[in-house]
Amino acid sequence: MSTLRDTYEAVIGLEVHAQLMTKSKMFCSCPNEFGAKINTNVCPVCTGQPGSLPTVNRNAIELGVRAAIALNCQIRDESIFARKNYFYPDLPKGYQISQYEKPFCEHGKLTVKLKSGEEKQIGITRIHFEEDAGKNVHAAFGTVVNLNRAGVPLIEIVSEPDMRTSHEAGQYLRALHSILRYGDICDGNMEQGNFRCDANISVRKRGETKFGTKVELKNINSFRFVEKAIDHEIDRQIDLVEKGETIKQQTRTWNSGKNITELMREKESAHDYRYFPDPDLSPLRITKSWQDKVRGAMPEMPEQVRQRFQKDYNLSDYDAGVLTASKELALYYQETVKICSNPKASANWVANELLGRLNAEGKEVYDSPVSAMQLGDLIGRIDQGEISGKIAKTVFEEMFATRKNPADIIKAKGLVQISDTGAIETVIDKVIAANPAQYADYKAGKVKLFAFFVGQVMKETRGQANPGIVNDLVKKKLDS
Amino acid sequence: MMEFNQLDMRSLLEGYQKKQFTVTEVVQASLKAIDLKNPKLNALLEVNAEKALTRARALDADISKASEKKLFGVPIAIKDNILVKDWQCTAGSKILEGYRAPYTATTVQRLEAEGAVIIGKANCDEFAMGSSNETSHYGSCRNPWDLERVPGGSSGGSAAAVAAGMCPASLGTDTGGSIRQPASLCGLVGLKPSYGRVSRYGVVSYASSLDQVGPFSRTVWDCARLLEVLSGADKKDATTSHLEVPPYAARLQESSLSQVTLGVAPQWLQGVDADVKEAFDRSIEQMKKEGAKIVEIDLPRTRYSLSVYYLIAPSEASSNLARYDGVHYGFRAKEFKDSEQLYNRSRGQGFGKEVKLRIMLGTYALSAGYYDAFYLKANQVRRLIQQDFEAAFQKCDAVLVPTSPSTAFKLGEKTDDPLKMYLSDIFTLPVNLAGLPGVSVPCGLDKKNLPIGLQLIGRPFEELKLLQIAQAHEKIQGVLRLP
């Protein structure tokens, strides 16, 4: 398989729909929120009542401009809202307001890091505004339409077909997700469909310049599924070509249960959406001064946070990179440092222990069972000598499993470190008395036995004795 | 008892201020006229006496403040394609049968804020597509001047209601002549404002880039007063203009005919009925006598108006009417297997012939492969027509033309031939395409005793100038009596 793959090359382009984090919808003042009671966030405009007209939400435009700036796009001073006409029950007006011939920005680029250590630049063809549709809800008595989501603002970010592997596509998507999160442009929640991805995939023999027939993969809702789905699709297409079959232009969907892509529909003829400029909306003007205002108020982007972490917390380039991979993680780390005031230890704990456990469980930072405040508390207890680093790892495991606070676990399990010299001396005396032969050997010059005595003391105290103090006292007792 | 329903709007306002009568009396007279005449005319599709009288009594309690409201106690009919909360809004179509408006249009809100009393919803051509009111699903409306004849359209009911003395004013919409042509055929003043002067929020969209709301009245002063209430920016309609709204009525007398130049395009007058031409020429002569300068102008590319209009309007309509699909509100076919059939049957049974014709025309014009040749080309020619007017307005302050080439025609006379019907809007269409204000004023009766209309076309947002000229013309002609 790997050799066959080597003779082919995949061409991948991604289309991402990102919901904008506005308070209200794109063309009316209804709240933009998830999970409200069915058909409560609606008004004459977003339910398409006769006579209702759209008006543009300036805040949505500003978030779009932020995305355009973050992705190095050229912004048009005048773009056009267009109607995309089609019938579907979740589309109350019979058309979706979108942008077609003149999107608000074009010609951007995004640099992504690959696991090989190399960087690759992916072109952004265009970003345009559009409104979301409602949702068909299938109930026992039939299908109903929930229009709470109808009219929610989206940007569609279309990449150039610059990606060649599923890894590149995955990294592009992660980088894009990160930028939109950092910019407070989109909350990035993939489960709720606030960040959705379609992939266009074709294969060709290496060295060819013409594109093969593309297949569209719809609505893939996690980074890992995107990579898996693309890999599966590439293999499927190579297989077909090898068998001498032609690849049909299709729309397919990823079945995560079966780990295969499945046919949604054949594109025998492309749907005619009869796009035309929406006569209810004037051209969208984004002046230079408006752009400058947005630029001036841009939230920190990942690269800036990375540099700040290196400078303020004295982190290595690598650590800073790991800790700023997502906005959630960077915020988590910052919060941990704020609690314990130990940037170095926080970096180790977050990057190694926390991320390790989360990855093992397939969890994301936002659903971590251990909060930043709890982790900072734990690190603080090590620094204050209440528990040893080794005990702390046991406590952390318990925290991760039970969501309990470190203080409660330490208390319940009696894990408080023994730093009382008197108590430790008593244990040392007991250990020496119990091991007269070893004591004699030590005295006779077998100094290596020092470690044996330390180990016995730690064993006696079930690891709770402060190792530094134990070392000092054992030495003192043996040599006295 | 005084015949309140014979009074124009200004007389009503003055009467209230002098406490000569009450709003309740006036509204009762309106309702009586409706009871008497509507069964024959079919001008109003919904009348709510209780609502109107409740409102009248509330206004009467405040009658000492009559002078503070610009439309205090004025009964007004609203075309049935404009939404008034809790009233029906059918747009003359079966597909909206039984639909109750969940909100009120900006224009109606403004009328009510100035003390107007909504008296009823007026009949109209289905989705404002028609020139005779005959495409209404709820039956034709008839012309009060001759019941065998049409009142014009699409705002036929609004015109007939005022001409029949049911109310002194009404609202219509005008996409290609739908206010001015029925005003002309019913002997009224009817104004189509500049595009963007009046909010379209709450108006059932036909062709969004052409639609405007405007008033019907018996006099120019009434028209001016209504326009100043209706006009102005609306944050719910992104296409409204922020230009200041002058007090039109108060400034009507500021200009005399000796200060204006009027343009006449000779090529526009070919094919006009003899009686219409005669009345038009007489008006020109009279105004000339009063000092107006008359110049010849050329509007060469307006001859493409009909073709351009019947590409742009149906294109926009095909998309605007997509929302009437049987899913969310309005008419739904009784039997269907799946959503495809739900759409096809609801729309197939819910829309009338003319509406289907225009939806098909527009769908075709917007289709991939035809878009450039039809929709895009039509918009290019639309700009040329605008340029023709811009050039003409270098030479004159207003363009004069008959509103319609003929007076009211008989019911059924043009229903078999869409093109013949479309031609009755030949002088009004270019005005919508160019976004200009246009007003139709009565200029006499033909030999059959039917009203003839004169149209004045002005520069964008120069409604004031237009109304001043119309006012001067009215002074010469006198106000036309009711039939």
Side-chain angles (χ1 to χ4, degrees):
Chain A
M1 205 64 194
S2 69
T3 48
L4 194 55
R5 266 251 187 151
D6 289 344
T7 62
Y8 285 90
E9 173 181 70
V11 176
I12 306 160
L14 298 182
E15 289 169 15
V16 169
H17 284 89
Q19 202 180 88
L20 298 173
M21 289 169 72
T22 52
K23 283 203 181 68
S24 56
K25 293 187 181 180
M26 184 82 204
F27 298 112
C28 64
S29 52
C30 290
N32 170 17
E33 58 179 12
F34 182 82
K37 204 167 152 256
I38 185 166
N39 288 325
T40 49
N41 290 342
V42 294
C43 75
V45 177
C46 57
T47 59
Q49 296 299 311
S52 63
L53 298 171
T55 46
V56 175
N57 177 347
R58 277 182 68 92
N59 187 226
I61 306 304
E62 285 179 0
L63 295 185
V65 171
R66 261 191 216 172
I69 293 169
L71 295 168
N72 308 296
C73 293
Q74 289 170 22
I75 299 171
R76 275 178 198 274
D77 7 298
E78 198 174 292
S79 65
I80 304 286
F81 284 107
R83 292 187 186 176
K84 179 180 182 179
N85 296 286
Y86 65 97
F87 287 102
Y88 203 71
D90 68 7
L91 192 71
K93 296 192 295 296
Y95 59 84
Q96 178 196 32
I97 306 177
S98 179
Q99 294 193 301
Y100 184 57
E101 274 182 314
K102 287 186 175 174
F104 80 97
C105 74
E106 291 165 293
H107 312 304
K109 55 181 188 290
L110 176 59
T111 304
V112 300
K113 288 203 165 68
L114 303 178
K115 62 185 167 199
S116 62
E118 287 170 82
E119 288 189 341
K120 178 163 179 168
Q121 203 174 79
I122 311 293
I124 309 277
T125 314
R126 58 187 273 160
I127 310 180
H128 65 252
F129 291 109
E130 59 186 34
E131 56 175 344
D132 212 340
K135 217 172 175 177
N136 289 353
V137 184
H138 303 285
F141 55 87
T143 302
V144 291
V145 183
N146 183 359
L147 294 178
N148 283 346
R149 209 182 63 182
V152 159
L154 302 176
I155 47 175
E156 181 175 338
I157 304 156
V158 182
S159 84
E160 290 289 307
D162 286 347
M163 289 154 276
R164 296 290 172 267
T165 65
S166 64
H167 172 65
E168 288 178 12
Q171 289 303 91
Y172 165 80
L173 215 55
R174 285 184 184 92
L176 187 60
H177 187 266
S178 168
I179 281 178
L180 296 182
R181 281 291 299 117
Y182 270 97
D184 286 329
I185 296 161
C186 169
D187 72 8
N189 190 321
M190 296 173 90
E191 277 163 35
Q192 289 175 6
N194 302 350
F195 182 93
R196 318 194 272 270
C197 172
D198 303 336
N200 288 309
I201 302 156
S202 63
V203 296
R204 62 185 174 194
K205 278 262 165 64
R206 216 167 268 280
E208 261 180 50
T209 49
K210 258 177 51 189
F211 292 136
T213 305
K214 72 177 178 189
V215 166
E216 188 177 9
L217 282 182
K218 275 265 177 214
N219 281 329
I220 325 168
N221 66 354
S222 91
F223 296 126
R224 274 190 306 159
F225 288 166
V226 166
E227 289 172 349
K228 276 185 169 177
I230 290 174
D231 272 333
H232 175 273
E233 184 54 28
I234 293 171
D235 288 342
R236 192 188 69 88
Q237 290 187 20
I238 292 175
D239 213 36
L240 284 176
V241 176
E242 282 294 311
K243 280 193 216 149
E245 291 177 34
T246 48
I247 292 165
K248 285 187 229 147
Q249 198 177 335
Q250 292 174 334
T251 301
R252 301 178 72 87
T253 180
W254 174 244
N255 183 327
S256 58
K258 294 188 195 159
N259 273 339
I260 53 165
T261 65
E262 291 172 337
L263 180 67
M264 264 173 90
R265 57 177 179 262
E266 295 270 344
K267 273 200 177 167
E268 50 311 299
S269 61
H271 193 83
D272 184 358
Y273 290 115
R274 290 176 284 117
Y275 281 100
F276 76 107
D278 191 332
D280 288 331
L281 293 163
S282 345
L284 172 65
R285 274 176 242 285
I286 305 173
T287 58
K288 286 277 174 298
S289 66
W290 195 9
Q291 288 179 38
D292 290 343
K293 224 181 97 194
V294 175
R295 204 182 300 271
M298 282 284 277
E300 270 184 316
M301 284 292 124
E303 193 48 41
Q304 290 166 290
V305 179
R306 181 192 171 113
Q307 285 169 16
R308 179 163 61 81
F309 276 13
Q310 279 184 254
K311 192 167 149 273
D312 290 1
Y313 302 134
N314 205 16
L315 296 183
S316 68
D317 183 48
Y318 178 80
D319 280 348
V322 171
L323 293 170
T324 54
S326 77
K327 184 172 193 173
E328 284 78 13
L329 189 62
L331 285 175
Y332 190 103
Y333 170 71
Q334 249 174 233
E335 183 70 14
T336 308
V337 175
K338 215 167 93 190
I339 302 292
C340 69
S341 310
N342 187 342
K344 182 76 195 135
S346 296
N348 288 337
W349 276 92
V350 173
N352 301 323
E353 306 304 324
L354 180 77
L355 278 187
R357 288 295 284 126
L358 288 175
N359 286 342
E361 306 256 323
K363 283 194 162 91
E364 298 294 330
V365 178
Y366 63 79
D367 55 23
S368 164
V370 177
S371 72
M373 208 189 270
Q374 288 173 322
L375 183 61
D377 182 14
L378 181 69
I379 298 168
R381 286 171 197 274
I382 305 168
D383 290 346
Q384 281 152 27
E386 187 183 327
I387 49 172
S388 67
K390 199 168 159 226
I391 291 287
K393 287 188 183 172
T394 317
V395 176
F396 178 79
E397 283 300 320
E398 189 72 14
M399 287 163 71
F400 201 93
T402 64
R403 294 176 180 264
K404 281 186 187 152
N405 286 323
D408 296 335
I409 296 167
I410 292 166
K411 200 175 154 207
K413 300 215 157 183
L415 296 175
V416 180
Q417 182 163 271
I418 303 161
S419 299
D420 175 351
T421 48
I424 294 174
E425 276 179 48
T426 312
V427 177
I428 296 171
D429 289 342
K430 222 172 99 192
V431 166
I432 291 172
N435 297 287
Q438 283 85 348
Y439 181 68
D441 286 352
Y442 179 85
K443 280 296 189 187
K446 247 183 149 183
V447 287
K448 269 187 186 166
L449 281 166
F450 172 74
F452 165 78
F453 284 102
V454 170
Q456 288 300 307
V457 172
M458 291 310 282
K459 196 177 159 193
E460 253 336 276
T461 58
R462 298 202 321 276
Q464 280 166 261
N466 183 320
I469 297 172
V470 171
N471 269 327
D472 289 351
L473 290 179
V474 168
K475 188 131 189 70
K476 215 169 92 191
K477 285 270 178 193
L478 289 178
D479 294 347
S480 64
Chain B
M1 190 173 122
M2 251 179 103
E3 291 199 37
F4 302 118
N5 60 313
Q6 294 293 314
L7 297 177
D8 60 35
M9 198 178 93
R10 190 179 197 177
S11 310
L12 278 186
L13 294 173
E14 285 168 4
Y16 291 136
Q17 287 175 29
K18 293 182 192 151
K19 304 226 170 86
Q20 289 171 334
F21 41 76
T22 65
V23 182
T24 305
E25 286 175 299
V26 168
V27 168
Q28 277 168 342
S30 262
L31 292 168
K32 210 176 129 196
I34 293 167
D35 275 348
L36 204 67
K37 296 179 176 172
N38 202 46
K40 276 187 218 131
L41 290 175
N42 196 25
L44 300 180
L45 299 177
E46 186 184 22
V47 178
N48 192 323
E50 201 187 305
K51 249 187 226 170
L53 287 168
T54 307
R55 168 93 167 141
R57 282 191 288 271
L59 287 164
D60 278 332
D62 246 354
I63 202 155
S64 55
K65 289 183 190 157
S67 62
E68 291 169 22
K69 302 272 187 193
K70 290 182 173 180
L71 301 174
F72 185 90
V74 177
I76 291 184
I78 308 292
K79 187 178 181 181
D80 208 24
N81 65 348
I82 302 174
L83 282 82
V84 187
K85 193 170 194 265
D86 298 332
W87 289 71
Q88 73 166 40
C89 186
T90 66
S93 180
K94 180 183 178 182
I95 213 158
L96 279 173
E97 192 159 25
Y99 177 76
R100 294 271 147 195
Y103 69 99
T104 297
T106 300
T107 43
V108 177
Q109 271 181 5
R110 288 180 178 175
L111 295 181
E112 289 190 313
E114 289 295 339
V117 180
I118 307 308
I119 196 90
K121 296 300 298 288
N123 202 352
C124 58
D125 280 300
E126 185 177 3
F127 286 103
M129 298 178 186
S131 311
S132 65
N133 213 122
E134 289 167 294
T135 72
S136 170
H137 171 68
Y138 305 95
S140 302
C141 170
R142 286 160 191 268
N143 192 321
W145 289 83
D146 179 347
L147 294 179
E148 297 303 306
R149 292 176 189 271
V150 302
S154 64
S155 314
S158 303
V162 176
M166 297 174 181
C167 46
S170 62
L171 282 196
T173 62
D174 190 318
T175 307
S178 284
I179 291 172
R180 291 157 290 156
Q181 186 255 20
S184 166
L185 270 49
C186 290
L188 301 171
V189 177
L191 182 137
K192 197 277 302 179
S194 311
Y195 187 79
R197 180 75 294 186
V198 175
S199 167
R200 293 183 295 117
Y201 189 77
V203 179
V204 175
S205 295
Y206 158 24
S208 312
S209 74
L210 301 162
D211 296 343
Q212 274 291 293
V213 176
F216 286 93
S217 63
R218 293 183 49 206
T219 70
V220 173
W221 188 93
D222 290 2
C223 177
R225 172 53 68 89
L226 287 159
L227 185 65
E228 71 189 49
V229 173
L230 294 171
S231 296
D234 177 11
K235 61 179 192 319
K236 288 178 174 164
D237 177 357
T239 61
T240 51
S241 161
H242 288 263
L243 279 178
E244 205 188 322
V245 179
Y248 296 114
R251 295 182 60 187
L252 278 183
Q253 311 290 344
E254 274 178 18
S255 154
S256 78
L257 283 177
S258 60
Q259 293 163 292
V260 298
T261 305
L262 303 173
V264 177
Q267 93 265 21
W268 271 26
L269 300 171
Q270 290 152 15
V272 169
D273 281 5
D275 285 3
V276 174
K277 176 78 166 47
E278 205 186 303
F280 177 76
D281 289 342
R282 196 171 52 237
S283 279
I284 300 281
E285 277 312 309
Q286 287 169 336
M287 291 201 275
K288 210 167 159 182
K289 224 185 274 174
E290 293 294 319
K293 210 177 139 201
I294 310 290
V295 294
E296 269 194 18
I297 51 157
D298 191 18
L299 298 163
R301 283 154 321 183
T302 54
R303 70 171 179 276
Y304 302 116
S305 296
L306 200 69
S307 318
V308 170
Y309 178 88
Y310 279 99
L311 284 171
I312 292 174
S315 293
E316 292 180 9
S318 71
S319 174
N320 282 334
L321 269 58
R323 66 187 62 192
Y324 310 107
D325 58 5
V327 174
H328 299 272
Y329 50 77
F331 174 79
R332 177 185 290 180
K334 282 199 176 60
E335 282 172 32
F336 50 88
K337 281 202 314 254
D338 49 26
S339 59
E340 179 94 8
Q341 216 172 55
L342 164 67
Y343 290 135
N344 290 342
R345 293 194 173 172
S346 300
R347 289 168 67 80
Q349 296 162 23
F351 287 134
K353 202 175 131 201
E354 182 65 26
V355 172
K356 284 181 196 163
L357 178 73
R358 296 197 196 187
I359 290 175
M360 283 190 277
L361 205 59
T363 304
Y364 187 78
L366 288 177
S367 299
Y370 298 98
Y371 179 86
D372 287 359
F374 293 132
Y375 181 78
L376 210 61
K377 183 65 79 185
N379 271 293
Q380 286 163 351
V381 180
R382 181 181 184 173
R383 257 188 297 283
L384 296 178
I385 292 169
Q386 268 166 2
Q387 286 169 11
D388 273 6
F389 278 107
E390 281 163 22
F393 286 127
Q394 298 286 322
K395 291 160 67 178
C396 63
D397 300 307
V399 173
L400 296 191
V401 65
T403 309
S404 187
S406 71
T407 53
F409 45 92
K410 288 196 167 158
L411 270 89
E413 197 180 316
K414 298 185 180 180
T415 39
D416 294 336
D417 186 350
L419 201 61
K420 220 164 136 195
M421 186 73 88
Y422 296 169
L423 281 168
S424 66
D425 293 330
I426 190 75
F427 301 138
T428 47
L429 297 176
V431 182
N432 298 75
L433 291 172
L436 308 172
V439 63
S440 178
V441 294
C443 70
L445 301 172
D446 70 0
K447 292 193 185 74
K448 288 174 288 214
N449 206 33
L450 296 168
I452 299 167
L454 166 71
Q455 184 183 202
L456 301 123
I457 304 163
R459 298 188 189 101
F461 298 97
E462 288 198 357
E463 277 84 355
L464 180 59
K465 173 137 278 169
L466 215 54
L467 287 164
Q468 286 168 343
I469 300 167
Q471 172 72 35
H473 176 262
E474 188 182 79
K475 227 188 227 165
I476 304 166
Q477 285 268 332
V479 172
L480 186 64
R481 65 176 169 88
L482 291 182

